[in-house]
Structure formats: structure tokens, C-alpha cells
């Protein structure tokens, strides 16, 4: 596992994700902030995954992993500029793994959201 030196003190992620309505769409939102003076990270790629433990009909335990579509979509961006904290937004629509989950399901089900941010600081 790669652990950049001193980076944990400069890029911060919100401790909790929020589900709310934004622009008339149900969204899951996570914030990222940059505490550094120079707010550019070059070649930034942000991805998100939903991880949950499953048991097959045969009793086999396995990890299920779903890619989650997020905005801003970073594959075409050369850098991300952090003027304010950046909202990472996943729209919960019919393609989302959260679409058929109720509020009670979200409380009861055990899962992890994995948010990965890669980039270069010059």
C-alpha cells in the first residue's frame, strides 16, 4: 500500500456521507477538502466503489464490489482546483446500487464506500 508522506494532513475527507435531494435528484454526497496553500492537484482521478460482503446460495462468502458513478467526472480533467471543499456526488438513480435500498436498509446493511483520489502535487 502506498502511503504518501504528510499527505494525510493536507487532503481531508468528510467523516460521513450524506443522502439528500439536490437539483430534484436523490444524491449521496461526500466532501473533500485541501488544506494546502497551493490548491492544484495535477492529473487528478477520483473513483468510488461500494464494497459489501455477500453469501452465495451455496454458502460461499465473497466480497461484492460495484463501481459508483460520481461527479465531477475526472477522467478528462487535467487538474482539480480546490477553492472550496469539493462535493463528490453520486446520483441515486435506477443504475445505482443504492436505488432499491430504503433508509432502514442503509442502517441495517453493512457496507463500505471506498473513495480513491490520485494525483500529482508539483
Amino acid at each position: 500500500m502506498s502511503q504518501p508522506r504528510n499527505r494525510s494532513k493536507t487532503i481531508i475527507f468528510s467523516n460521513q456521507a450524506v443522502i439528500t435531494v439536490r437539483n430534484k435528484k436523490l444524491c449521496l454526497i461526500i466532501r473533500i477538502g485541501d488544506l494546502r496553500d497551493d490548491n492544484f492537484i495535477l492529473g487528478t482521478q477520483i473513483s468510488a466503489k461500494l464494497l459489501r460482503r455477500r453469501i452465495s446460495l451455496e454458502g460461499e462468502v465473497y466480497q461484492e464490489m460495484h463501481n459508483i458513478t460520481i461527479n465531477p467526472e475526472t477522467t478528462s480533467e487535467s487538474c482539480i482546483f480546490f477553492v472550496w471543499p469539493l462535493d463528490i456526488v453520486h446520483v441515486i438513480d435506477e443504475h445505482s446500487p443504492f436505488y432499491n435500498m430504503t433508509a432502514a436498509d442503509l442502517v441495517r446493511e453493512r457496507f463500505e464506500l471506498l473513495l480513491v483520489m490520485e494525483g500529482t502535487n508539483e
Side-chain angles (χ1 to χ4, degrees), residues 92-109:
I92 301 175
D93 59 12
E94 61 274 1
H95 304 290
S96 170
F98 299 108
Y99 186 69
N100 292 318
M101 291 178 134
T102 65
D105 292 338
L106 288 169
V107 171
R108 183 180 58 251
E109 189 161 337

Side-chain angles (χ1 to χ4, degrees), residues 6-7 40 61 70 95 106:
N6 298 323
R7 181 61 52 225
F40 284 101
V61 177
I70 56 171
H95 304 290
L106 288 169

Side-chain angles (χ1 to χ4, degrees), residues 29-85:
I29 302 172
I30 302 166
R31 280 204 169 146
I32 301 175
D34 188 353
L35 302 177
R36 300 170 304 133
D37 291 333
D38 61 337
N39 300 109
F40 284 101
I41 299 175
L42 302 175
T44 305
Q45 297 290 311
I46 301 174
S47 61
K49 296 188 182 305
L50 170 69
L51 306 170
R52 49 186 166 184
R53 194 177 121 181
R54 293 289 192 215
I55 300 174
S56 70
L57 296 174
E58 298 77 22
E60 176 189 10
V61 177
Y62 64 97
Q63 281 290 92
E64 181 180 77
M65 194 177 329
H66 290 280
N67 288 326
I68 296 177
T69 305
I70 56 171
N71 283 307
E73 195 277 314
T74 58
T75 55
S76 62
E77 298 284 332
S78 60
C79 70
I80 288 184
F81 184 57
F82 287 94
V83 177
W84 304 103

